[in-house]
Amino acid sequence: MKKPTGVSEVVLAPGQVSFAARPTRLRTLLGSCVAFTFWHPQRRIGGMCHFMLPARSRRDLALDGRYADEAVELLLGHARAHGTTPQDYQVKLFGGGEMFPEQRRSLPAQDVASLNIRAALELAEHHRLHLAAQDMGSTGYRTILFDLWNGNVWVRHQPMGTLDRHA
């Protein structure tokens, strides 16, 4: 499907959640963070979150997209606000790349990437979400492009220690 005219592009920073009901391209850059993409194939609507940490110990009144559990709650809220159920969405997971693999042995409790991956998979199971695809783990960063008009997600993974010839 060709790119529709008038497509808006949204770049998500860490901690942001975006949901759109019109042709939109969502974009983000992930290291140890993880992104969920939600796409409703019949309605051609959806969203993405970019979370940094699995959860926080203290909950404030407002949900905070920096944390996996709260970012997913925000996406689920958007889905319900559009008259859909979360189980109607194709869900994809990306990210969780180790950014400092040389420190893994000396600081195992600081392995944020693995903690984020585990949190994402547990949340998907807990909410009975249909996982259509995932690309998580390894090292390095991922550039994510998500086209809401057709549900395609494009991923460019740059592992640590390799040169990016397209930069």
Side-chain angles (χ1 to χ4, degrees):
M1 178 185 282
K2 276 180 39 175
K3 181 178 175 181
T5 57
V7 169
S8 61
E9 186 164 314
V10 176
V11 179
L12 275 75
Q16 290 187 314
V17 177
S18 181
F19 196 96
R22 61 187 191 94
T24 305
R25 172 172 283 163
L26 301 175
R27 174 190 300 262
T28 199
L29 178 68
L30 303 165
S32 60
C33 296
V34 170
F36 272 83
T37 63
F38 277 46
W39 188 65
H40 194 290
Q42 290 77 34
R43 301 262 314 269
R44 297 183 187 276
I45 63 174
M48 178 165 59
C49 70
H50 176 154
F51 71 83
M52 301 162 49
L53 296 166
R56 60 180 162 168
S57 57
R58 194 186 107 223
R59 275 260 178 53
D60 292 335
L61 294 176
L63 292 174
D64 188 333
R66 293 178 293 176
Y67 304 96
D69 53 343
E70 297 178 51
V72 170
E73 281 300 324
L74 288 165
L75 276 175
L76 296 175
H78 285 296
R80 290 183 189 107
H82 282 84
T84 58
T85 63
Q87 291 74 26
D88 294 338
Y89 287 77
Q90 290 179 3
V91 178
K92 298 178 183 178
L93 293 170
F94 304 97
E98 284 188 67
M99 299 308 294
F100 306 101
E102 66 281 355
Q103 295 178 358
R104 187 174 198 186
R105 288 192 192 112
S106 61
L107 300 169
Q110 300 297 319
D111 186 6
V112 175
S114 293
L115 295 172
N116 283 340
I117 290 169
R118 186 172 340 141
L121 293 170
E122 288 172 0
L123 285 163
E125 183 178 339
H126 173 75
H127 291 288
R128 294 187 293 283
L129 301 174
H130 170 65
L131 277 183
Q134 58 182 298
D135 181 16
M136 297 190 294
S138 186
T139 63
Y141 66 90
R142 289 171 174 83
T143 302
I144 310 296
L145 298 176
F146 176 28
D147 295 334
L148 288 178
W149 61 89
N150 61 13
N152 287 340
V153 181
W154 305 94
V155 180
R156 183 170 50 150
H157 181 201
Q158 188 65 45
M160 300 292 284
T162 61
L163 295 176
D164 186 356
R165 294 187 178 103
H166 303 288

